[in-house]
Amino acid sequence: MPLRGAFAGGEADWLPTPAAPQPRRLDRAVSALRGVGPAVERKLARLGLRTVRDLLEYRPRRYERAVPERRIADLFADEEVVIAGEVRRTSVRRPRRRLAIVLARVADGSGEIDAVWFNQAWLADKLVPGTHVRLRGQLRRGEFNVRSYDLDGASETADYAPVYSASEEVSVKKLRELVAAALVYARDDWDALPAAVKAERGLPVRADALWALHRPASEAEAETGRRRLAFDELLVLQLGLLRRGRARGGVTAPALPPPGELVARYRTTLPFVLTPGQEQAIAEIDGDLARERPMDRLLQGDVGSGKTVVALYALLRAVEAGRQGALMAPTETLAEQHFLTLEELCAGLDVRVALLTSSLSAGEYEAARTAIANGEAAIAVGTHALIQEEVGFRDLAVAVVDEQHRFGVEQRKALAEGRTPHLLHMTATPIPRTLALTVYGDLAVSEIAKPPADRKPVVTAWVEEGRSSEAYTRLRRHLDAGRQAYVVCPLIEESETSVARAAEREAERLRRAELHGYRVGLLHGRLRPGERRELMARFHAGELDVLVATTVIEVGVDVPNATIMIVQEADRFGLAQLHQLRGRVGRGAEQSYCLLVSRPKEQLTDAARARLEALVETSDGFELAEIDLELRGEGELLGTRQSGLSDLRFTRLPVDRPLLEQARDEAERLLDYDGPLNDEVGRIFAVADDARLA
Ligand code: ADP
Ligand code: MG
């Protein structure tokens, strides 16, 4: 097979780039480029641009349109065009303080016109008579308003000039200059793909791809470049995922005996019957636990679909086998919440659950640690602290990891030790099906597609600020009927401390105004763990009517009696986040409501409007995730950041789905290849090792 051969060193179909690559050059700091001093370096760092490579891989947000070049005599109003000519004379006008207008009289063979720049007074010195200029802009009231310009050669004014995400400190123009300087080093980059692979997949040489990305002669050329770069990153991702899967191949975990008396009792104590989705997931878990190979399963289901009940089932399977279970959550609040839930469910089963987080008092921590070590605690709930070395389980058999993508490193560590518990990953973030392959690789997936049948979808309404008092009237009706409520405020402040202060002010205001006479608790990130736990317990027990919260309630909080939620300034939240928040209500049989309060519709961006409309329309998390993907574009989707997908700069999903599958095939071929490795292949593996993979 020619491809296998292509990976070997010195094969005829391997055509190395002429000059030996020197990829280290790309790892130099941006300050290696001319014109980048410490100040610019700091500003670039704030855009995440630290090395020459960062600049090279800074993907343009879009490209300027192609516009015609016109003679001055042929200009007509408002058409965006390029003109080229010579400066005759220049002047600066200052009609107001803080406003400087540079005027340059520009002539070509056909005529003359005044070109106008705003607030760039320093330009006047450069526009000396005789200077040749190319200007892109529009004719407006007899003057030529300049959008971009070139004093020597064309790049700014060129068709398809790249438009980068700039900042107030670093302009697009500056970024273009810097990327141009970085492009000189494009040929120093590795091209890890064998020529045969490039030929088969229609992919250009990597350096050409980088040039095409930043200096395309057409949109199609830019796209070809982007695809190559996307392929590289997808290949690395897939290699990592496949290797992780294969690494697990050699790892063992003792099989558990079949389901016994404890889980049978557990089922009968539940106040409801399990949904078909839950039963299906449980059956799949039982199947996994019967094997010697460690379970590696993702339990995916929308908020409120009933994952926790399934997770506890898996933990109890360990307990009835005389071994231990662990549940790990990404935050302390979540861990505490899970603890409360599990403790309650386990109370009648005579199973002891311990909470272990790093914020326990020294005494509490020691006690929990001891109980876990000697096996008195059959189930441990905690944050990362649980898997830190100093916590030894007597005999851990099943670990449930909530929000699986945040645990990459620890998991890998456990793998490296060759022994691992059966793992069940839980995620409440629905990853669109179009992404599942990318994110999870070979992970087996159980999906709870439908919420419990008696669950009514949360009725969601979008309310403009001016009518928020009606939202509170509605909320008070629920409280008066004995229900509970959430009020969420998206406080955007400098620090957690100022968020806390602002939250306190808002809670105080609500206690005096809309929520006067009700018992209002305040949950924010600055509370001490003990306080937070107590607050949650009180809300759970119905001793508080309303929980005012910053976004810390986003996941995991489970109080079925809470039936209404008001989200203030909802336009500031992302779609996925709002969906998560909304999932806090509608957890019982009662009809629940979510009221999204926003600024007036006409003040919102299109995207914000689309988000709120989508939430009103549907409560299907998968559908929302697809919409989110469309609205936000690839790579920014919630859940992707934590999953390693944020490392995908060039991939556009779902468009690149076929490319993703190609990269997967290629990764498999690479892993199966057992001939001598050449440098290039070694390089791919090295990159795959470095990549932070879930
Ligand atoms: P998730 O973790 O998927 O967001 P939970 O497991 O926390 O969902 O379940 C949400 C709520 O639904 C909880 O109050 C739980 O007790 C309840 N619940 C779970 N399974 C069922 C079921 N089969 N029928 C009715 N209610 C259920
Ligand atoms: Mg849950």
Side-chain angles (χ1 to χ4, degrees):
M1 195 165 71
L3 264 174
R4 282 174 68 90
F7 286 116
E11 292 280 331
D13 53 0
W14 167 247
L15 297 172
T17 35
Q22 301 192 49
R24 286 227 188 85
R25 289 187 174 183
L26 301 189
D27 296 327
R28 287 186 301 182
V30 284
S31 55
L33 299 173
R34 210 175 328 127
V36 181
V40 176
E41 192 172 13
R42 268 196 306 278
K43 293 171 187 171
L44 288 172
R46 284 196 272 273
L47 286 170
L49 302 171
R50 293 187 173 78
T51 64
V52 173
R53 177 180 299 284
D54 290 340
L55 281 168
L56 272 179
E57 295 182 353
Y58 199 43
R59 178 174 153 202
R61 207 155 37 82
R62 60 180 181 84
Y63 298 91
E64 298 284 11
R65 286 186 299 131
V67 298
E69 183 164 338
R70 293 242 186 269
R71 301 188 322 155
I72 290 173
D74 300 335
L75 291 178
F76 52 91
D78 295 334
E79 186 197 25
E80 187 168 335
V81 295
V82 168
I83 59 172
E86 204 179 282
V87 176
R88 286 287 148 82
R89 58 181 178 274
T90 305
S91 62
V92 182
R93 279 200 320 237
R94 297 186 185 276
R96 277 185 273 125
R97 239 165 60 85
R98 292 170 175 277
L99 179 61
I101 298 177
V102 174
L103 277 172
R105 191 75 180 166
V106 175
D108 67 4
S110 73
E112 295 190 0
I113 194 164
D114 281 328
V116 187
W117 286 260
F118 295 97
N119 282 334
Q120 299 178 56
W122 51 270
L123 251 180
D125 297 336
K126 297 206 153 188
L127 296 166
V128 292
T131 310
H132 194 80
V133 291
R134 260 177 72 91
L135 309 175
R136 182 173 168 136
Q138 286 159 298
L139 179 66
R140 288 252 166 90
R141 284 191 236 98
E143 293 176 332
F144 193 79
N145 282 11
V146 178
R147 276 194 50 194
S148 58
Y149 62 93
D150 289 302
L151 298 182
D152 31 43
S155 64
E156 287 292 302
T157 57
D159 291 343
Y160 311 110
V163 180
Y164 302 99
S165 296
S167 65
E168 276 179 26
E169 301 175 320
V170 190
S171 66
V172 172
K173 184 174 167 59
K174 183 73 183 171
L175 285 166
R176 284 175 179 160
E177 283 169 26
L178 293 170
V179 171
L183 268 177
V184 173
Y185 299 97
R187 304 255 160 230
D188 288 321
D189 201 4
W190 286 113
D191 188 328
L193 282 189
V197 177
K198 288 190 286 253
E200 191 195 24
R201 311 278 185 201
L203 299 167
V205 170
R206 187 168 165 97
D208 291 347
L210 288 165
W211 276 91
L213 184 78
H214 298 290
R215 288 281 174 284
S218 65
E219 296 265 358
E221 198 176 296
E223 173 62 9
T224 306
R226 183 198 67 76
R227 274 173 50 86
R228 164 64 210 263
L229 300 168
F231 187 83
D232 285 7
E233 63 190 8
L234 285 169
L235 180 60
V236 165
L237 179 67
Q238 292 304 321
L239 270 174
L241 288 170
L242 287 175
R243 290 172 108 200
R244 173 182 177 277
R246 294 187 185 195
R248 287 185 69 87
V251 177
T252 59
L256 295 182
E261 181 269 335
L262 179 63
V263 290
R265 221 155 16 98
Y266 169 58
R267 281 167 172 280
T268 61
T269 59
L270 287 174
F272 41 73
V273 286
L274 297 176
T275 64
Q278 286 170 322
E279 288 291 2
Q280 171 80 25
I282 282 176
E284 285 161 352
I285 289 166
D286 281 337
D288 291 348
L289 295 179
R291 294 196 197 99
E292 294 278 323
R293 195 149 44 82
M295 170 164 76
D296 194 18
R297 177 170 296 278
L298 178 76
L299 179 58
Q300 182 165 255
D302 207 351
V303 283
S305 60
K307 294 183 294 296
T308 312
V309 173
V310 174
L312 181 54
Y313 175 90
L315 296 172
L316 290 173
R317 289 292 318 279
V319 177
E320 66 182 6
R323 307 181 60 198
Q324 287 170 296
L327 172 59
M328 285 171 287
T331 67
E332 303 244 317
T333 315
L334 238 185
E336 285 154 14
Q337 183 61 35
H338 276 312
F339 173 69
L340 290 175
T341 311
L342 263 53
E343 209 188 22
E344 198 174 307
L345 286 166
C346 288
L349 300 171
D350 200 25
V351 171
R352 176 155 166 215
V353 185
L355 173 69
L356 191 125
T357 62
S358 47
S359 58
L360 294 178
S361 72
E364 290 171 320
Y365 187 91
E366 228 7 77
R369 215 173 69 96
T370 311
I372 293 168
N374 66 21
E376 264 171 55
I379 296 177
V381 181
T383 56
H384 297 76
L386 260 192
I387 30 178
Q388 272 151 18
E389 301 85 77
E390 75 263 28
V391 181
F393 282 83
R394 189 173 58 84
D395 188 11
L396 181 63
V398 175
V400 176
V401 184
D402 200 3
E403 299 295 307
Q404 63 102 20
H405 32 263
R406 307 190 197 190
F407 281 92
V409 179
E410 286 82 358
Q411 225 169 277
R412 279 219 302 275
K413 225 167 53 193
L415 280 175
E417 286 158 10
R419 197 183 55 88
T420 171
H422 294 283
L423 281 175
L424 180 68
H425 315 267
M426 269 201 304
T427 179
T429 306
I431 302 285
R433 291 179 186 92
T434 43
L435 292 190
L437 177 65
T438 322
V439 187
Y440 302 132
D442 280 347
L443 214 61
V445 178
S446 294
E447 192 179 305
I448 306 182
K450 286 212 174 62
D454 64 347
R455 196 69 57 70
K456 300 179 185 70
V458 177
V459 173
T460 303
W462 174 10
V463 184
E464 288 176 313
E465 251 164 24
R467 299 176 50 200
S468 75
S469 68
E470 291 170 36
Y472 280 96
T473 305
R474 183 105 157 246
L475 183 134
R476 285 192 298 269
R477 275 210 298 277
H478 280 249
L479 300 182
D480 294 340
R483 307 270 160 233
Q484 288 163 285
Y486 298 101
V487 175
V488 182
C489 353
L491 297 164
I492 297 172
E493 300 281 334
E494 288 285 296
S495 67
E496 277 236 33
T497 313
S498 38
V499 168
R501 237 181 281 126
E504 265 151 30
R505 272 198 304 276
E506 178 59 13
E508 216 23 70
R509 191 191 68 73
L510 287 168
R511 280 185 192 116
R512 278 197 307 269
E514 286 93 339
L515 301 178
H516 185 73
Y518 297 95
R519 297 164 301 174
V520 177
L522 171 65
L523 182 67
H524 60 68
R526 255 302 143 106
L527 292 182
R528 279 194 307 265
E531 297 170 326
R532 205 159 55 204
R533 224 175 308 149
E534 194 199 314
L535 188 69
M536 289 313 305
R538 284 176 59 206
F539 188 62
H540 218 280
E543 290 164 24
L544 292 170
D545 300 307
V546 185
L547 199 60
V548 173
T550 56
T551 52
V552 290
I553 60 161
E554 203 182 318
V555 269
V557 174
D558 185 14
V559 178
N561 190 44
T563 53
I564 186 164
M565 163 179 288
I566 291 182
V567 183
Q568 297 181 348
E569 297 179 68
D571 49 296
R572 292 190 175 198
F573 288 105
L575 183 50
Q577 202 180 8
L578 284 170
H579 179 61
Q580 293 286 325
L581 282 169
R582 177 169 65 177
R584 300 310 108 211
V585 293
R587 301 179 80 83
E590 220 61 40
Q591 177 63 61
S592 290
Y593 298 84
C594 176
L595 308 175
L596 305 169
V597 180
S598 82
R599 287 175 291 164
K601 294 187 186 182
E602 62 279 4
Q603 286 179 28
L604 300 181
T605 61
D606 288 345
R609 267 200 300 270
R611 285 198 299 270
L612 296 174
E613 268 160 18
L615 281 156
V616 172
E617 295 279 283
T618 180
S619 51
D620 180 331
F622 287 93
E623 206 178 315
L624 287 170
E626 297 282 1
I627 295 173
D628 202 22
L629 186 62
E630 246 164 62
L631 284 177
R632 295 226 255 167
E634 59 294 334
E636 281 186 54
L637 188 81
L638 185 99
T640 59
R641 195 156 355 134
Q642 304 96 316
S643 64
L645 263 190
S646 63
D647 300 336
L648 299 184
R649 296 166 184 235
F650 299 106
T651 304
R652 290 176 46 206
L653 291 164
V655 183
D656 281 336
R657 178 97 207 225
L659 199 64
L660 165 62
E661 275 152 21
Q662 289 179 23
R664 195 173 171 80
D665 290 348
E666 214 56 71
E668 256 159 20
R669 279 200 248 204
L670 261 172
L671 281 181
D672 291 338
Y673 172 72
D674 55 4
L677 288 184
N678 62 17
D679 281 356
E680 287 69 28
V681 177
R683 156 78 181 163
I684 304 183
F685 282 119
V687 175
D689 282 340
D690 290 349
R692 287 177 33 253
L693 295 166

